[in-house]
Amino acid sequence: MGSTNEELIDAFGDALDEWAREVREACRVSAVQHQELARRMTKLTMRGTVTPSRVSKWLSGRRIVISGGAGLPGRGVSRDIVRALGLEGARAQRLMRLGERIDLVQAELERRYPNGWRVAAQAHMLGHAETVITSEEPLSSSPSPVRIAATGGTSPDGPRRPQPERRRPSWRNQPTWAKALAGALAVTATATAIATAALLLPADEEGRSGAGSGSGPGHSSANSAAAGGPAAKADATRTLDLEKGTLGDDSRCSSPFQGPEVITWRVCARVEAERISFALKITNEGRAPSTVKFRLEYAQLSAFHPCPQQPDSHSLDIPAGETVITDPEHCAVPREKVPFAYQAVGWVVAQESNGGSYELSPTAHVYPDRIIWKPDLV
């Protein structure tokens, strides 16, 4: 039996609260205050200035829905925080999973409330505000008055009654849509959490962990899609640095990544009726030809997978001032009949390099009857 709309809103509030607690704990362990976290995020990302006030709203849990005035956290914000705090391992993966959970539940709310879910969520949360502790805990060792109340302690005004706790439903009682998407939660979480650190790509390895050296069959196939070809001439719409339509209908490309040197590149994915395909869009902004080394994989079911037709790294020549899109035919997988989440995973490094960091495309949450991109253009 599916969940009611009210239960879904409660699940969304729980996800926001749990995400906020995880970030506050990560900040406490890292000894990082709001102002410093905002400064680091502004420096590391291209999202514009991140203010301490915005960080405070993120860390207010479900109260951000009630108060409004700020974008909600999710996978993208989680990734930025992981990088800003230098989180690794289980803590980084937990935060990414929580960010992905927020995105998924929000997507379901958007589906159920096509004319806008936030007003309904605000009304429901305000009606149950007396049973929910949502005030932000400071990033220090001393408990706040709200925290004292929650543990049944005392405040300067006298004893406070313990506040009721929200009971979380057991997994067996979770709605069907949540169970069906359980596999999707881990894909982006695992992939993006690892992406916070530089990933060494040994030149003598041809496994999933690195990029081999030299050129291969992918060299000529990628060049066949150079700017001027059908893919490169796609009418791509750009909003917030993402691209739509680069590979055709139902395709998205990431924000551009800079380097090596005059090269900029994007990681792209496309969903079609029978398959999901992946590609890299690489632009040479210089006045001379450039050669790079690239590798492309895809993420599904908590793991990276090599491209079926192009499993290794390859060298690629890019003429001056031109763009090359690698051939999606060389990195495509059949579309499944059950929900899965997919991302393209790409590396572009200098030809002589044996190390670099991978980047990810927007996530395609592929259902039998629809596709939800996270993040997406607005």
Side-chain angles (χ1 to χ4, degrees), residues 89-158:
R91 186 176 295 279
Q93 292 183 27
R94 277 199 308 273
L95 184 57
M96 291 308 307
R97 281 197 299 270
L98 291 169
E100 183 73 2
R101 177 181 161 198
I102 290 171
D103 285 344
L104 288 172
V105 181
Q106 183 178 346
E108 181 67 13
L109 283 169
E110 291 169 353
R111 188 184 71 82
R112 295 195 187 188
Y113 293 93
N115 296 322
W117 59 269
R118 196 149 183 166
V119 173
Q122 287 174 338
H124 178 73
M125 289 182 180
L126 283 170
H128 295 76
E130 70 276 5
T131 64
V132 182
I133 299 173
T134 58
S135 295
E136 175 192 343
E137 298 173 17
L139 306 183
S140 65
S141 57
S142 58
S144 67
V146 171
R147 196 175 205 177
I148 295 172
T151 57
T154 60
S155 73
D157 298 324

Side-chain angles (χ1 to χ4, degrees), residues 41-333:
M41 292 180 70
T42 299
K43 183 178 179 180
L44 289 174
T45 72
M46 300 178 66
R47 299 175 185 272
T49 302
V50 177
T51 64
S53 175
R54 184 185 299 184
V55 172
S56 294
K57 280 186 173 289
W58 287 335
L59 299 187
S60 68
R62 74 184 64 207
R63 186 162 298 194
I64 192 173
V65 176
I66 299 173
S67 62
L72 298 173
R75 182 184 68 88
V77 172
S78 300
R79 181 185 182 188
D80 291 346
I81 290 175
V82 165
R83 286 176 164 175
L85 296 179
L87 303 181
E88 297 178 346
R91 186 176 295 279
Q93 292 183 27
R94 277 199 308 273
L95 184 57
M96 291 308 307
R97 281 197 299 270
L98 291 169
E100 183 73 2
R101 177 181 161 198
I102 290 171
D103 285 344
L104 288 172
V105 181
Q106 183 178 346
E108 181 67 13
L109 283 169
E110 291 169 353
R111 188 184 71 82
R112 295 195 187 188
Y113 293 93
N115 296 322
W117 59 269
R118 196 149 183 166
V119 173
Q122 287 174 338
H124 178 73
M125 289 182 180
L126 283 170
H128 295 76
E130 70 276 5
T131 64
V132 182
I133 299 173
T134 58
S135 295
E136 175 192 343
E137 298 173 17
L139 306 183
S140 65
S141 57
S142 58
S144 67
V146 171
R147 196 175 205 177
I148 295 172
T151 57
T154 60
S155 73
D157 298 324
R160 293 179 182 263
R161 292 181 301 168
Q163 298 294 318
E165 295 184 357
R166 300 182 59 84
R167 288 191 175 183
R168 299 183 183 276
S170 66
W171 174 247
R172 70 183 62 185
N173 294 325
Q174 291 293 322
T176 303
W177 67 266
K179 294 179 181 179
L181 291 175
L185 285 169
V187 176
T188 309
T190 302
T192 310
I194 303 171
T196 59
L199 180 65
L200 295 181
L201 312 177
D204 58 350
E205 280 190 18
E206 305 219 351
R208 285 177 40 242
S209 62
S213 60
S215 60
H219 174 85
S220 58
S221 64
N223 267 332
S224 68
K233 286 184 176 179
D235 182 18
T237 303
R238 298 185 60 184
T239 302
L240 299 178
D241 290 330
L242 300 181
E243 277 192 358
K244 178 179 180 180
T246 302
L247 303 183
D249 293 340
D250 267 325
S251 68
R252 302 289 188 275
C253 291
S254 67
S255 300
F257 304 107
Q258 184 66 46
E261 298 180 346
V262 296
I263 298 297
T264 60
W265 53 286
R266 298 173 185 264
V267 194
C268 308
R270 182 186 184 188
V271 181
E272 300 175 74
E274 301 296 332
R275 69 174 191 170
I276 296 93
S277 56
F278 312 95
L280 293 171
K281 179 181 178 181
I282 309 173
T283 300
N284 179 1
E285 298 181 341
R287 298 182 179 180
S290 182
T291 301
V292 297
K293 184 162 57 180
F294 79 91
R295 183 182 183 88
L296 183 63
E297 298 187 359
Y298 69 95
Q300 181 193 21
L301 287 177
S302 307
F304 288 1
H305 306 276
C307 295
Q309 302 298 323
Q310 198 173 59
D312 303 321
S313 60
H314 299 276
S315 291
L316 177 62
D317 295 326
I318 309 173
E322 294 193 16
T323 294
V324 171
I325 298 176
T326 62
D327 191 347
E329 294 285 344
H330 287 180
C331 196
V333 295

